[in-house]
Amino acid sequence: MNTGQMMLTIGALLLLSTTMLRVNSNNMMNETFRNEAQFGLLATSIATSIIEEAKSKAFDEATDTISVSSFKELTSVNNLGPDLGETDITFNDFDDFDGYSTVDSTMPSAVFNILCEVDYVTTSNLQESSNKVTWHKKITVTVASAFMADTIKTSSIYSYWFFR
């Protein structure tokens, strides 16, 4: 083998190794994006499940068994959250989810930190919490994980309707 053939062989190997590095780098980047999308989808599903569970409960402790027609009968702004001794298994009304936090490690690939917040809101400003009792409560569920670049934060409004 002469010097020209050796240079061509080295050049070909250099080109092959550069191409292989580029392909592997692209595969790793695509896998990272795919994993982040999957974890984001899982986090969204977890948040939606918690919201749906909260909405399956009574609007307020006072409305668990009877109807109410006055704000005075509802839980005060400062007393939102679970009653003494209540756990996530025994939650019976929407605002019991205020302050609820847990770690979901059922998926072997990621651990999710979940935090819920429930506030009264007014129809004039659904984004801000109200310091007065209203017929509308908003739950905000935040799901974060070290495996995700972003935090999932989703909200839903639950209103009480009283028909005579």
Side-chain angles (χ1 to χ4, degrees):
M1 208 191 280
N2 63 25
T3 306
Q5 289 174 330
M6 184 65 80
M7 292 299 281
L8 282 174
T9 304
I10 290 173
L13 286 174
L14 183 62
L15 186 61
L16 178 65
S17 62
T18 303
T19 303
M20 290 302 295
L21 281 173
R22 175 73 58 154
V23 167
N24 285 339
S25 175
N26 285 341
N27 281 343
M28 292 282 288
M29 199 177 330
N30 287 341
E31 190 169 325
T32 300
F33 291 143
R34 183 182 57 84
N35 286 343
E36 282 189 24
Q38 280 184 324
F39 293 138
L41 184 62
L42 284 170
T44 303
S45 296
I46 290 168
T48 303
S49 294
I50 290 173
I51 289 172
E52 291 300 318
E53 183 180 349
K55 284 185 160 188
S56 73
K57 310 293 184 193
F59 176 77
D60 193 85
E61 184 177 357
T63 65
D64 190 18
T65 56
I66 60 169
S67 298
V68 297
S69 58
S70 169
F71 291 142
K72 294 175 186 172
E73 300 174 74
L74 297 176
T75 303
S76 71
V77 173
N78 297 329
N79 289 332
L80 294 175
D83 295 328
L84 190 63
E86 276 187 325
T87 65
D88 59 333
I89 298 187
T90 59
F91 285 170
N92 62 347
D93 62 277
F94 187 77
D95 65 68
D96 286 345
F97 286 86
D98 187 44
Y100 173 67
S101 67
T102 187
V103 176
D104 185 337
S105 59
T106 56
M107 298 300 295
S109 55
V111 175
F112 296 99
N113 299 308
I114 304 159
L115 177 64
C116 299
E117 186 179 329
V118 177
D119 295 301
Y120 284 104
V121 293
T122 62
T123 54
S124 61
N125 188 355
L126 297 173
Q127 300 301 320
E128 298 292 323
S129 56
S130 173
N131 58 357
K132 296 180 182 176
V133 175
T134 68
W135 297 118
H136 315 284
K137 293 178 184 175
K138 179 172 89 169
I139 185 170
T140 303
V141 181
T142 305
V143 182
S145 176
F147 298 94
M148 296 184 334
D150 295 322
T151 298
I152 301 295
K153 190 173 190 178
T154 186
S155 300
S156 184
I157 307 293
Y158 189 32
S159 299
Y160 181 70
W161 302 99
F162 175 73
F163 299 102
R164 294 178 190 216

